[in-house]
Amino acid sequence: MRGLRERMFEMWSVLQPALHLSWWTAERLSAAANVGLLMTAVVTALLALQTIKQTQKIEMRANRPMMTAEIIAPAGMHGDAGLRIINRGRTVAHNVQVSFEPQLPDPDLARLNENARAHFFRTRVEAVRAIFSDVTYPTWPPGMEVTVRYWVPPKDFDPFSELGNSAEGIPPQQTVRIHYEGEGSRNLKYVEDFVLDIRAVIGAEFRKSEAK
């Protein structure tokens, strides 16, 4: 406690002369003004640097590629729902890879024709796999899209009751994961998940009388 009092007394001894106007000579006033200007310049520079960094982040977000997975509504009550992969950003996406979680079932044409209303000569799963499975697209320009039919409603499909799997065993909620990279020296990498929910597009646009 005594040491603290001694230090406070020493600080007061140093500051006390500055409280008298006679202590402020022209040289000291000039030095104090220079210190104030220097501090102002430092604060201004720091604020400017922060503004520049924020602007760069905004520009990077605005000018980045933006790969998305979207579900496409069927043409009719018992039509197939589709999948769209599109770059809605402003720059080219690189090394684009598309995967599914859970993984898509194995193609089974006999099962598809047994469970579906229509007759097929090729499974939807097979087409989706041919386009996306174990495939890397080196470049994907802005606005480019790939669409494919992927969810076939089963024979007993009723959009107004609890939804089950498709005629091929694809769940009504399917996660699509997209890996891709941006342009430039940083070459930022992105991993984004999109949930395709059949409920969002099937049944919402059709009257119940059309379900018959």
Side-chain angles (χ1 to χ4, degrees):
M1 189 69 179
R2 182 178 180 182
L4 179 60
R5 290 178 179 176
E6 291 177 352
R7 285 194 294 270
M8 292 180 63
F9 180 77
E10 291 175 357
M11 292 177 62
W12 173 252
S13 300
V14 173
L15 294 174
Q16 188 175 15
L19 299 178
H20 298 282
L21 295 177
S22 59
W23 185 83
W24 289 99
T25 62
E27 292 78 6
R28 289 171 177 168
L29 285 172
S30 178
N34 290 334
V35 171
L37 290 174
L38 178 61
M39 292 179 64
T40 301
V42 170
V43 172
T44 302
L46 291 175
L47 291 175
L49 182 60
Q50 184 178 5
T51 301
I52 292 173
K53 289 182 178 180
Q54 291 177 345
T55 302
Q56 289 176 341
K57 288 181 180 180
I58 293 173
E59 290 179 352
M60 287 178 60
R61 292 172 182 171
N63 296 317
R64 54 160 284 192
M66 191 171 295
M67 299 297 301
T68 62
E70 303 169 355
I71 192 167
I72 303 174
M77 177 64 70
H78 298 284
D80 303 346
L83 165 66
R84 175 190 292 121
I85 304 295
I86 182 172
N87 181 2
R88 295 197 177 278
R90 296 183 178 179
T91 57
V92 177
H94 295 266
N95 300 324
V96 179
Q97 297 177 331
V98 179
S99 59
F100 299 86
E101 186 64 37
Q103 294 184 358
L104 297 178
D106 294 329
D108 189 334
L109 185 58
R111 178 180 61 183
L112 172 61
N113 285 323
E114 180 182 354
N115 296 331
R117 289 194 174 194
H119 184 79
F120 294 84
F121 296 96
R122 185 184 183 187
T123 67
R124 298 303 195 199
V125 169
E126 185 179 359
V128 175
R129 285 189 169 187
I131 297 172
F132 298 116
S133 293
D134 299 322
V135 176
T136 300
Y137 290 89
T139 57
W140 198 299
M144 173 181 167
E145 67 176 80
V146 173
T147 60
V148 60
R149 294 292 172 181
Y150 93 106
W151 204 92
V152 181
K155 291 179 180 178
D156 59 352
F157 171 71
D158 181 2
F160 304 99
S161 61
E162 183 177 356
L163 293 181
N165 293 342
S166 73
E168 294 185 271
I170 300 175
Q173 289 186 330
Q174 175 72 54
T175 298
V176 178
R177 179 167 297 166
I178 307 178
H179 295 252
Y180 60 103
E181 300 175 7
E183 289 188 305
S185 57
R186 290 191 174 186
N187 201 26
L188 296 178
K189 297 183 179 181
Y190 305 93
V191 179
E192 296 179 293
D193 291 346
F194 302 90
V195 178
L196 306 182
D197 194 335
I198 293 298
R199 177 68 71 183
V201 295
I202 290 185
E205 299 181 359
F206 309 109
R207 296 187 299 273
K208 191 161 186 175
S209 60
E210 297 182 55
K212 300 179 181 179

PDB file of all heavy atoms in Angstrom, residues 112-148:
ATOM      1  N   LEU A 112     -37.566 -49.987 -60.371  1.00  0.00           N
ATOM      2  CA  LEU A 112     -38.184 -48.735 -60.808  1.00  0.00           C
ATOM      3  C   LEU A 112     -39.494 -49.006 -61.539  1.00  0.00           C
ATOM      4  O   LEU A 112     -40.525 -48.384 -61.242  1.00  0.00           O
ATOM      5  CB  LEU A 112     -37.215 -47.962 -61.701  1.00  0.00           C
ATOM      6  CG  LEU A 112     -37.776 -46.720 -62.389  1.00  0.00           C
ATOM      7  CD1 LEU A 112     -38.255 -45.700 -61.378  1.00  0.00           C
ATOM      8  CD2 LEU A 112     -36.717 -46.096 -63.314  1.00  0.00           C
ATOM      9  N   ASN A 113     -39.492 -49.929 -62.495  1.00  0.00           N
ATOM     10  CA  ASN A 113     -40.699 -50.206 -63.272  1.00  0.00           C
ATOM     11  C   ASN A 113     -41.774 -50.881 -62.435  1.00  0.00           C
ATOM     12  O   ASN A 113     -42.971 -50.742 -62.710  1.00  0.00           O
ATOM     13  CB  ASN A 113     -40.352 -51.077 -64.479  1.00  0.00           C
ATOM     14  CG  ASN A 113     -39.657 -50.266 -65.576  1.00  0.00           C
ATOM     15  OD1 ASN A 113     -40.004 -49.109 -65.798  1.00  0.00           O
ATOM     16  ND2 ASN A 113     -38.684 -50.867 -66.234  1.00  0.00           N
ATOM     17  N   GLU A 114     -41.373 -51.586 -61.395  1.00  0.00           N
ATOM     18  CA  GLU A 114     -42.350 -52.217 -60.510  1.00  0.00           C
ATOM     19  C   GLU A 114     -43.037 -51.194 -59.612  1.00  0.00           C
ATOM     20  O   GLU A 114     -44.237 -51.299 -59.324  1.00  0.00           O
ATOM     21  CB  GLU A 114     -41.656 -53.275 -59.645  1.00  0.00           C
ATOM     22  CG  GLU A 114     -42.588 -53.986 -58.687  1.00  0.00           C
ATOM     23  CD  GLU A 114     -41.861 -54.990 -57.811  1.00  0.00           C
ATOM     24  OE1 GLU A 114     -40.650 -55.215 -58.031  1.00  0.00           O
ATOM     25  OE2 GLU A 114     -42.507 -55.554 -56.891  1.00  0.00           O
ATOM     26  N   ASN A 115     -42.284 -50.166 -59.182  1.00  0.00           N
ATOM     27  CA  ASN A 115     -42.816 -49.192 -58.225  1.00  0.00           C
ATOM     28  C   ASN A 115     -43.426 -47.956 -58.869  1.00  0.00           C
ATOM     29  O   ASN A 115     -44.196 -47.241 -58.220  1.00  0.00           O
ATOM     30  CB  ASN A 115     -41.714 -48.750 -57.258  1.00  0.00           C
ATOM     31  CG  ASN A 115     -41.222 -49.898 -56.393  1.00  0.00           C
ATOM     32  OD1 ASN A 115     -41.968 -50.832 -56.107  1.00  0.00           O
ATOM     33  ND2 ASN A 115     -39.965 -49.826 -55.977  1.00  0.00           N
ATOM     34  N   ALA A 116     -43.061 -47.662 -60.117  1.00  0.00           N
ATOM     35  CA  ALA A 116     -43.512 -46.427 -60.762  1.00  0.00           C
ATOM     36  C   ALA A 116     -44.745 -46.671 -61.620  1.00  0.00           C
ATOM     37  O   ALA A 116     -45.032 -47.799 -62.034  1.00  0.00           O
ATOM     38  CB  ALA A 116     -42.392 -45.845 -61.605  1.00  0.00           C
ATOM     39  N   ARG A 117     -45.474 -45.605 -61.909  1.00  0.00           N
ATOM     40  CA  ARG A 117     -46.642 -45.704 -62.778  1.00  0.00           C
ATOM     41  C   ARG A 117     -46.233 -45.850 -64.235  1.00  0.00           C
ATOM     42  O   ARG A 117     -46.834 -46.618 -64.981  1.00  0.00           O
ATOM     43  CB  ARG A 117     -47.511 -44.453 -62.621  1.00  0.00           C
ATOM     44  CG  ARG A 117     -48.236 -44.364 -61.282  1.00  0.00           C
ATOM     45  CD  ARG A 117     -49.318 -43.294 -61.342  1.00  0.00           C
ATOM     46  NE  ARG A 117     -50.132 -43.270 -60.130  1.00  0.00           N
ATOM     47  CZ  ARG A 117     -51.285 -42.636 -60.017  1.00  0.00           C
ATOM     48  NH1 ARG A 117     -51.760 -41.978 -61.065  1.00  0.00           N
ATOM     49  NH2 ARG A 117     -51.961 -42.655 -58.891  1.00  0.00           N
ATOM     50  N   ALA A 118     -45.217 -45.102 -64.642  1.00  0.00           N
ATOM     51  CA  ALA A 118     -44.765 -45.132 -66.024  1.00  0.00           C
ATOM     52  C   ALA A 118     -43.772 -46.271 -66.229  1.00  0.00           C
ATOM     53  O   ALA A 118     -43.282 -46.879 -65.269  1.00  0.00           O
ATOM     54  CB  ALA A 118     -44.130 -43.797 -66.392  1.00  0.00           C
ATOM     55  N   HIS A 119     -43.460 -46.541 -67.482  1.00  0.00           N
ATOM     56  CA  HIS A 119     -42.467 -47.568 -67.807  1.00  0.00           C
ATOM     57  C   HIS A 119     -41.185 -46.885 -68.274  1.00  0.00           C
ATOM     58  O   HIS A 119     -41.225 -45.970 -69.096  1.00  0.00           O
ATOM     59  CB  HIS A 119     -42.985 -48.507 -68.901  1.00  0.00           C
ATOM     60  CG  HIS A 119     -42.044 -49.633 -69.197  1.00  0.00           C
ATOM     61  ND1 HIS A 119     -41.947 -50.759 -68.404  1.00  0.00           N
ATOM     62  CD2 HIS A 119     -41.139 -49.790 -70.206  1.00  0.00           C
ATOM     63  CE1 HIS A 119     -41.029 -51.567 -68.896  1.00  0.00           C
ATOM     64  NE2 HIS A 119     -40.540 -51.008 -70.002  1.00  0.00           N
ATOM     65  N   PHE A 120     -40.062 -47.320 -67.747  1.00  0.00           N
ATOM     66  CA  PHE A 120     -38.780 -46.703 -68.046  1.00  0.00           C
ATOM     67  C   PHE A 120     -37.853 -47.705 -68.730  1.00  0.00           C
ATOM     68  O   PHE A 120     -37.939 -48.918 -68.500  1.00  0.00           O
ATOM     69  CB  PHE A 120     -38.111 -46.204 -66.758  1.00  0.00           C
ATOM     70  CG  PHE A 120     -38.847 -45.078 -66.068  1.00  0.00           C
ATOM     71  CD1 PHE A 120     -39.909 -45.349 -65.198  1.00  0.00           C
ATOM     72  CD2 PHE A 120     -38.495 -43.760 -66.296  1.00  0.00           C
ATOM     73  CE1 PHE A 120     -40.581 -44.324 -64.562  1.00  0.00           C
ATOM     74  CE2 PHE A 120     -39.164 -42.722 -65.667  1.00  0.00           C
ATOM     75  CZ  PHE A 120     -40.219 -43.009 -64.801  1.00  0.00           C
ATOM     76  N   PHE A 121     -36.971 -47.162 -69.555  1.00  0.00           N
ATOM     77  CA  PHE A 121     -35.936 -47.969 -70.200  1.00  0.00           C
ATOM     78  C   PHE A 121     -34.552 -47.688 -69.593  1.00  0.00           C
ATOM     79  O   PHE A 121     -33.596 -48.390 -69.901  1.00  0.00           O
ATOM     80  CB  PHE A 121     -35.903 -47.690 -71.706  1.00  0.00           C
ATOM     81  CG  PHE A 121     -37.164 -48.102 -72.403  1.00  0.00           C
ATOM     82  CD1 PHE A 121     -38.175 -47.190 -72.650  1.00  0.00           C
ATOM     83  CD2 PHE A 121     -37.355 -49.430 -72.802  1.00  0.00           C
ATOM     84  CE1 PHE A 121     -39.344 -47.568 -73.283  1.00  0.00           C
ATOM     85  CE2 PHE A 121     -38.526 -49.819 -73.446  1.00  0.00           C
ATOM     86  CZ  PHE A 121     -39.517 -48.885 -73.681  1.00  0.00           C
ATOM     87  N   ARG A 122     -34.507 -46.676 -68.729  1.00  0.00           N
ATOM     88  CA  ARG A 122     -33.267 -46.343 -68.032  1.00  0.00           C
ATOM     89  C   ARG A 122     -33.632 -45.669 -66.709  1.00  0.00           C
ATOM     90  O   ARG A 122     -34.564 -44.871 -66.660  1.00  0.00           O
ATOM     91  CB  ARG A 122     -32.400 -45.397 -68.875  1.00  0.00           C
ATOM     92  CG  ARG A 122     -31.033 -45.101 -68.266  1.00  0.00           C
ATOM     93  CD  ARG A 122     -30.273 -44.090 -69.102  1.00  0.00           C
ATOM     94  NE  ARG A 122     -28.940 -43.851 -68.564  1.00  0.00           N
ATOM     95  CZ  ARG A 122     -28.105 -42.908 -69.017  1.00  0.00           C
ATOM     96  NH1 ARG A 122     -28.488 -42.119 -70.016  1.00  0.00           N
ATOM     97  NH2 ARG A 122     -26.927 -42.754 -68.486  1.00  0.00           N
ATOM     98  N   THR A 123     -32.910 -45.989 -65.669  1.00  0.00           N
ATOM     99  CA  THR A 123     -33.232 -45.420 -64.361  1.00  0.00           C
ATOM    100  C   THR A 123     -32.785 -43.967 -64.285  1.00  0.00           C
ATOM    101  O   THR A 123     -31.813 -43.565 -64.936  1.00  0.00           O
ATOM    102  CB  THR A 123     -32.559 -46.217 -63.234  1.00  0.00           C
ATOM    103  OG1 THR A 123     -31.140 -46.050 -63.327  1.00  0.00           O
ATOM    104  CG2 THR A 123     -32.915 -47.686 -63.303  1.00  0.00           C
ATOM    105  N   ARG A 124     -33.501 -43.187 -63.452  1.00  0.00           N
ATOM    106  CA  ARG A 124     -33.104 -41.795 -63.222  1.00  0.00           C
ATOM    107  C   ARG A 124     -31.774 -41.741 -62.460  1.00  0.00           C
ATOM    108  O   ARG A 124     -30.942 -40.869 -62.700  1.00  0.00           O
ATOM    109  CB  ARG A 124     -34.193 -41.060 -62.439  1.00  0.00           C
ATOM    110  CG  ARG A 124     -35.539 -40.966 -63.135  1.00  0.00           C
ATOM    111  CD  ARG A 124     -35.456 -40.302 -64.473  1.00  0.00           C
ATOM    112  NE  ARG A 124     -36.755 -39.904 -64.980  1.00  0.00           N
ATOM    113  CZ  ARG A 124     -36.994 -39.646 -66.258  1.00  0.00           C
ATOM    114  NH1 ARG A 124     -36.021 -39.771 -67.151  1.00  0.00           N
ATOM    115  NH2 ARG A 124     -38.206 -39.261 -66.655  1.00  0.00           N
ATOM    116  N   VAL A 125     -31.605 -42.673 -61.523  1.00  0.00           N
ATOM    117  CA  VAL A 125     -30.372 -42.692 -60.732  1.00  0.00           C
ATOM    118  C   VAL A 125     -29.159 -42.891 -61.628  1.00  0.00           C
ATOM    119  O   VAL A 125     -28.099 -42.264 -61.435  1.00  0.00           O
ATOM    120  CB  VAL A 125     -30.446 -43.801 -59.664  1.00  0.00           C
ATOM    121  CG1 VAL A 125     -29.080 -44.015 -59.021  1.00  0.00           C
ATOM    122  CG2 VAL A 125     -31.468 -43.444 -58.596  1.00  0.00           C
ATOM    123  N   GLU A 126     -29.300 -43.736 -62.607  1.00  0.00           N
ATOM    124  CA  GLU A 126     -28.189 -43.993 -63.522  1.00  0.00           C
ATOM    125  C   GLU A 126     -27.784 -42.721 -64.267  1.00  0.00           C
ATOM    126  O   GLU A 126     -26.596 -42.439 -64.456  1.00  0.00           O
ATOM    127  CB  GLU A 126     -28.588 -45.084 -64.518  1.00  0.00           C
ATOM    128  CG  GLU A 126     -27.464 -45.529 -65.443  1.00  0.00           C
ATOM    129  CD  GLU A 126     -27.919 -46.625 -66.388  1.00  0.00           C
ATOM    130  OE1 GLU A 126     -29.098 -47.048 -66.297  1.00  0.00           O
ATOM    131  OE2 GLU A 126     -27.093 -47.060 -67.211  1.00  0.00           O
ATOM    132  N   ALA A 127     -28.779 -41.937 -64.680  1.00  0.00           N
ATOM    133  CA  ALA A 127     -28.488 -40.687 -65.385  1.00  0.00           C
ATOM    134  C   ALA A 127     -27.797 -39.683 -64.474  1.00  0.00           C
ATOM    135  O   ALA A 127     -26.836 -39.017 -64.871  1.00  0.00           O
ATOM    136  CB  ALA A 127     -29.784 -40.096 -65.943  1.00  0.00           C
ATOM    137  N   VAL A 128     -28.277 -39.568 -63.222  1.00  0.00           N
ATOM    138  CA  VAL A 128     -27.664 -38.641 -62.271  1.00  0.00           C
ATOM    139  C   VAL A 128     -26.218 -39.034 -62.002  1.00  0.00           C
ATOM    140  O   VAL A 128     -25.312 -38.191 -61.963  1.00  0.00           O
ATOM    141  CB  VAL A 128     -28.473 -38.600 -60.957  1.00  0.00           C
ATOM    142  CG1 VAL A 128     -27.770 -37.732 -59.921  1.00  0.00           C
ATOM    143  CG2 VAL A 128     -29.881 -38.072 -61.209  1.00  0.00           C
ATOM    144  N   ARG A 129     -25.981 -40.315 -61.805  1.00  0.00           N
ATOM    145  CA  ARG A 129     -24.622 -40.787 -61.539  1.00  0.00           C
ATOM    146  C   ARG A 129     -23.695 -40.531 -62.721  1.00  0.00           C
ATOM    147  O   ARG A 129     -22.530 -40.182 -62.546  1.00  0.00           O
ATOM    148  CB  ARG A 129     -24.640 -42.271 -61.201  1.00  0.00           C
ATOM    149  CG  ARG A 129     -25.150 -42.589 -59.791  1.00  0.00           C
ATOM    150  CD  ARG A 129     -24.938 -44.047 -59.475  1.00  0.00           C
ATOM    151  NE  ARG A 129     -25.171 -44.342 -58.076  1.00  0.00           N
ATOM    152  CZ  ARG A 129     -24.916 -45.516 -57.523  1.00  0.00           C
ATOM    153  NH1 ARG A 129     -24.445 -46.506 -58.261  1.00  0.00           N
ATOM    154  NH2 ARG A 129     -25.142 -45.714 -56.232  1.00  0.00           N
ATOM    155  N   ALA A 130     -24.215 -40.726 -63.911  1.00  0.00           N
ATOM    156  CA  ALA A 130     -23.385 -40.515 -65.098  1.00  0.00           C
ATOM    157  C   ALA A 130     -22.913 -39.072 -65.202  1.00  0.00           C
ATOM    158  O   ALA A 130     -21.810 -38.789 -65.693  1.00  0.00           O
ATOM    159  CB  ALA A 130     -24.156 -40.914 -66.357  1.00  0.00           C
ATOM    160  N   ILE A 131     -23.725 -38.147 -64.717  1.00  0.00           N
ATOM    161  CA  ILE A 131     -23.388 -36.722 -64.828  1.00  0.00           C
ATOM    162  C   ILE A 131     -22.500 -36.257 -63.682  1.00  0.00           C
ATOM    163  O   ILE A 131     -21.572 -35.464 -63.884  1.00  0.00           O
ATOM    164  CB  ILE A 131     -24.681 -35.875 -64.879  1.00  0.00           C
ATOM    165  CG1 ILE A 131     -25.495 -36.234 -66.120  1.00  0.00           C
ATOM    166  CG2 ILE A 131     -24.355 -34.382 -64.863  1.00  0.00           C
ATOM    167  CD1 ILE A 131     -26.868 -35.592 -66.148  1.00  0.00           C
ATOM    168  N   PHE A 132     -22.735 -36.778 -62.455  1.00  0.00           N
ATOM    169  CA  PHE A 132     -22.082 -36.191 -61.286  1.00  0.00           C
ATOM    170  C   PHE A 132     -21.156 -37.122 -60.498  1.00  0.00           C
ATOM    171  O   PHE A 132     -20.217 -36.640 -59.863  1.00  0.00           O
ATOM    172  CB  PHE A 132     -23.150 -35.642 -60.325  1.00  0.00           C
ATOM    173  CG  PHE A 132     -23.986 -34.547 -60.896  1.00  0.00           C
ATOM    174  CD1 PHE A 132     -25.352 -34.718 -61.092  1.00  0.00           C
ATOM    175  CD2 PHE A 132     -23.419 -33.330 -61.262  1.00  0.00           C
ATOM    176  CE1 PHE A 132     -26.125 -33.704 -61.627  1.00  0.00           C
ATOM    177  CE2 PHE A 132     -24.187 -32.304 -61.800  1.00  0.00           C
ATOM    178  CZ  PHE A 132     -25.546 -32.502 -61.982  1.00  0.00           C
ATOM    179  N   SER A 133     -21.395 -38.407 -60.488  1.00  0.00           N
ATOM    180  CA  SER A 133     -20.603 -39.289 -59.624  1.00  0.00           C
ATOM    181  C   SER A 133     -19.163 -39.397 -60.106  1.00  0.00           C
ATOM    182  O   SER A 133     -18.898 -39.733 -61.273  1.00  0.00           O
ATOM    183  CB  SER A 133     -21.241 -40.688 -59.570  1.00  0.00           C
ATOM    184  OG  SER A 133     -22.488 -40.641 -58.919  1.00  0.00           O
ATOM    185  N   ASP A 134     -18.232 -39.136 -59.177  1.00  0.00           N
ATOM    186  CA  ASP A 134     -16.795 -39.230 -59.463  1.00  0.00           C
ATOM    187  C   ASP A 134     -16.394 -38.374 -60.660  1.00  0.00           C
ATOM    188  O   ASP A 134     -15.493 -38.743 -61.432  1.00  0.00           O
ATOM    189  CB  ASP A 134     -16.388 -40.692 -59.708  1.00  0.00           C
ATOM    190  CG  ASP A 134     -16.665 -41.572 -58.495  1.00  0.00           C
ATOM    191  OD1 ASP A 134     -16.467 -41.093 -57.367  1.00  0.00           O
ATOM    192  OD2 ASP A 134     -17.087 -42.727 -58.683  1.00  0.00           O
ATOM    193  N   VAL A 135     -17.066 -37.252 -60.822  1.00  0.00           N
ATOM    194  CA  VAL A 135     -16.769 -36.342 -61.939  1.00  0.00           C
ATOM    195  C   VAL A 135     -16.360 -34.991 -61.366  1.00  0.00           C
ATOM    196  O   VAL A 135     -17.004 -34.466 -60.456  1.00  0.00           O
ATOM    197  CB  VAL A 135     -17.997 -36.163 -62.863  1.00  0.00           C
ATOM    198  CG1 VAL A 135     -17.693 -35.143 -63.958  1.00  0.00           C
ATOM    199  CG2 VAL A 135     -18.407 -37.502 -63.466  1.00  0.00           C
ATOM    200  N   THR A 136     -15.279 -34.418 -61.907  1.00  0.00           N
ATOM    201  CA  THR A 136     -14.838 -33.071 -61.538  1.00  0.00           C
ATOM    202  C   THR A 136     -14.905 -32.177 -62.770  1.00  0.00           C
ATOM    203  O   THR A 136     -14.280 -32.487 -63.796  1.00  0.00           O
ATOM    204  CB  THR A 136     -13.397 -33.084 -60.984  1.00  0.00           C
ATOM    205  OG1 THR A 136     -13.342 -33.908 -59.818  1.00  0.00           O
ATOM    206  CG2 THR A 136     -12.959 -31.673 -60.617  1.00  0.00           C
ATOM    207  N   TYR A 137     -15.655 -31.101 -62.659  1.00  0.00           N
ATOM    208  CA  TYR A 137     -15.749 -30.146 -63.762  1.00  0.00           C
ATOM    209  C   TYR A 137     -14.685 -29.068 -63.555  1.00  0.00           C
ATOM    210  O   TYR A 137     -14.763 -28.302 -62.586  1.00  0.00           O
ATOM    211  CB  TYR A 137     -17.143 -29.523 -63.809  1.00  0.00           C
ATOM    212  CG  TYR A 137     -18.225 -30.489 -64.250  1.00  0.00           C
ATOM    213  CD1 TYR A 137     -18.906 -31.278 -63.324  1.00  0.00           C
ATOM    214  CD2 TYR A 137     -18.546 -30.615 -65.593  1.00  0.00           C
ATOM    215  CE1 TYR A 137     -19.878 -32.174 -63.729  1.00  0.00           C
ATOM    216  CE2 TYR A 137     -19.526 -31.508 -66.011  1.00  0.00           C
ATOM    217  CZ  TYR A 137     -20.187 -32.280 -65.074  1.00  0.00           C
ATOM    218  OH  TYR A 137     -21.155 -33.177 -65.484  1.00  0.00           O
ATOM    219  N   PRO A 138     -13.688 -28.980 -64.440  1.00  0.00           N
ATOM    220  CA  PRO A 138     -12.594 -28.012 -64.252  1.00  0.00           C
ATOM    221  C   PRO A 138     -13.085 -26.568 -64.172  1.00  0.00           C
ATOM    222  O   PRO A 138     -12.579 -25.782 -63.365  1.00  0.00           O
ATOM    223  CB  PRO A 138     -11.705 -28.225 -65.487  1.00  0.00           C
ATOM    224  CG  PRO A 138     -12.025 -29.613 -65.950  1.00  0.00           C
ATOM    225  CD  PRO A 138     -13.479 -29.805 -65.649  1.00  0.00           C
ATOM    226  N   THR A 139     -14.062 -26.211 -64.991  1.00  0.00           N
ATOM    227  CA  THR A 139     -14.615 -24.852 -64.952  1.00  0.00           C
ATOM    228  C   THR A 139     -16.133 -24.921 -65.091  1.00  0.00           C
ATOM    229  O   THR A 139     -16.678 -25.773 -65.805  1.00  0.00           O
ATOM    230  CB  THR A 139     -14.055 -23.977 -66.091  1.00  0.00           C
ATOM    231  OG1 THR A 139     -14.328 -24.595 -67.362  1.00  0.00           O
ATOM    232  CG2 THR A 139     -12.556 -23.777 -65.934  1.00  0.00           C
ATOM    233  N   TRP A 140     -16.789 -23.995 -64.386  1.00  0.00           N
ATOM    234  CA  TRP A 140     -18.256 -23.897 -64.446  1.00  0.00           C
ATOM    235  C   TRP A 140     -18.584 -22.410 -64.510  1.00  0.00           C
ATOM    236  O   TRP A 140     -18.638 -21.727 -63.498  1.00  0.00           O
ATOM    237  CB  TRP A 140     -18.889 -24.541 -63.216  1.00  0.00           C
ATOM    238  CG  TRP A 140     -20.340 -24.881 -63.376  1.00  0.00           C
ATOM    239  CD1 TRP A 140     -21.348 -24.004 -63.634  1.00  0.00           C
ATOM    240  CD2 TRP A 140     -20.939 -26.178 -63.288  1.00  0.00           C
ATOM    241  NE1 TRP A 140     -22.548 -24.669 -63.697  1.00  0.00           N
ATOM    242  CE2 TRP A 140     -22.329 -26.004 -63.489  1.00  0.00           C
ATOM    243  CE3 TRP A 140     -20.444 -27.463 -63.038  1.00  0.00           C
ATOM    244  CZ2 TRP A 140     -23.219 -27.084 -63.458  1.00  0.00           C
ATOM    245  CZ3 TRP A 140     -21.340 -28.526 -63.016  1.00  0.00           C
ATOM    246  CH2 TRP A 140     -22.703 -28.332 -63.224  1.00  0.00           C
ATOM    247  N   PRO A 141     -18.846 -21.876 -65.715  1.00  0.00           N
ATOM    248  CA  PRO A 141     -19.052 -20.431 -65.879  1.00  0.00           C
ATOM    249  C   PRO A 141     -20.327 -19.948 -65.195  1.00  0.00           C
ATOM    250  O   PRO A 141     -21.245 -20.729 -64.929  1.00  0.00           O
ATOM    251  CB  PRO A 141     -19.161 -20.258 -67.404  1.00  0.00           C
ATOM    252  CG  PRO A 141     -18.566 -21.511 -67.978  1.00  0.00           C
ATOM    253  CD  PRO A 141     -18.846 -22.589 -66.985  1.00  0.00           C
ATOM    254  N   PRO A 142     -20.408 -18.642 -64.937  1.00  0.00           N
ATOM    255  CA  PRO A 142     -21.634 -18.063 -64.364  1.00  0.00           C
ATOM    256  C   PRO A 142     -22.837 -18.303 -65.271  1.00  0.00           C
ATOM    257  O   PRO A 142     -22.742 -18.145 -66.488  1.00  0.00           O
ATOM    258  CB  PRO A 142     -21.303 -16.569 -64.265  1.00  0.00           C
ATOM    259  CG  PRO A 142     -19.820 -16.510 -64.222  1.00  0.00           C
ATOM    260  CD  PRO A 142     -19.331 -17.640 -65.072  1.00  0.00           C
ATOM    261  N   GLY A 143     -23.937 -18.698 -64.685  1.00  0.00           N
ATOM    262  CA  GLY A 143     -25.153 -18.935 -65.461  1.00  0.00           C
ATOM    263  C   GLY A 143     -25.269 -20.330 -66.044  1.00  0.00           C
ATOM    264  O   GLY A 143     -26.364 -20.736 -66.459  1.00  0.00           O
ATOM    265  N   MET A 144     -24.176 -21.074 -66.077  1.00  0.00           N
ATOM    266  CA  MET A 144     -24.246 -22.433 -66.621  1.00  0.00           C
ATOM    267  C   MET A 144     -25.033 -23.327 -65.667  1.00  0.00           C
ATOM    268  O   MET A 144     -24.849 -23.272 -64.459  1.00  0.00           O
ATOM    269  CB  MET A 144     -22.843 -23.002 -66.821  1.00  0.00           C
ATOM    270  CG  MET A 144     -22.819 -24.460 -67.232  1.00  0.00           C
ATOM    271  SD  MET A 144     -21.143 -25.097 -67.414  1.00  0.00           S
ATOM    272  CE  MET A 144     -21.456 -26.854 -67.511  1.00  0.00           C
ATOM    273  N   GLU A 145     -25.914 -24.155 -66.220  1.00  0.00           N
ATOM    274  CA  GLU A 145     -26.702 -25.047 -65.395  1.00  0.00           C
ATOM    275  C   GLU A 145     -26.811 -26.423 -66.036  1.00  0.00           C
ATOM    276  O   GLU A 145     -26.760 -26.561 -67.260  1.00  0.00           O
ATOM    277  CB  GLU A 145     -28.092 -24.484 -65.132  1.00  0.00           C
ATOM    278  CG  GLU A 145     -28.980 -24.389 -66.352  1.00  0.00           C
ATOM    279  CD  GLU A 145     -30.383 -23.906 -66.001  1.00  0.00           C
ATOM    280  OE1 GLU A 145     -30.555 -22.686 -65.835  1.00  0.00           O
ATOM    281  OE2 GLU A 145     -31.286 -24.768 -65.880  1.00  0.00           O
ATOM    282  N   VAL A 146     -26.945 -27.422 -65.205  1.00  0.00           N
ATOM    283  CA  VAL A 146     -27.187 -28.796 -65.641  1.00  0.00           C
ATOM    284  C   VAL A 146     -28.435 -29.267 -64.928  1.00  0.00           C
ATOM    285  O   VAL A 146     -28.544 -29.162 -63.699  1.00  0.00           O
ATOM    286  CB  VAL A 146     -25.997 -29.715 -65.306  1.00  0.00           C
ATOM    287  CG1 VAL A 146     -26.350 -31.164 -65.611  1.00  0.00           C
ATOM    288  CG2 VAL A 146     -24.767 -29.301 -66.097  1.00  0.00           C
ATOM    289  N   THR A 147     -29.391 -29.783 -65.678  1.00  0.00           N
ATOM    290  CA  THR A 147     -30.635 -30.265 -65.086  1.00  0.00           C
ATOM    291  C   THR A 147     -30.828 -31.741 -65.443  1.00  0.00           C
ATOM    292  O   THR A 147     -30.462 -32.187 -66.538  1.00  0.00           O
ATOM    293  CB  THR A 147     -31.842 -29.454 -65.584  1.00  0.00           C
ATOM    294  OG1 THR A 147     -31.934 -29.572 -67.014  1.00  0.00           O
ATOM    295  CG2 THR A 147     -31.700 -27.998 -65.209  1.00  0.00           C
ATOM    296  N   VAL A 148     -31.412 -32.474 -64.497  1.00  0.00           N
ATOM    297  CA  VAL A 148     -31.676 -33.893 -64.714  1.00  0.00           C
ATOM    298  C   VAL A 148     -32.858 -34.304 -63.846  1.00  0.00           C
ATOM    299  O   VAL A 148     -33.022 -33.818 -62.726  1.00  0.00           O
ATOM    300  CB  VAL A 148     -30.418 -34.739 -64.368  1.00  0.00           C
ATOM    301  CG1 VAL A 148     -30.006 -34.555 -62.923  1.00  0.00           C
ATOM    302  CG2 VAL A 148     -30.650 -36.205 -64.679  1.00  0.00           C
TER     303      VAL A 148
END
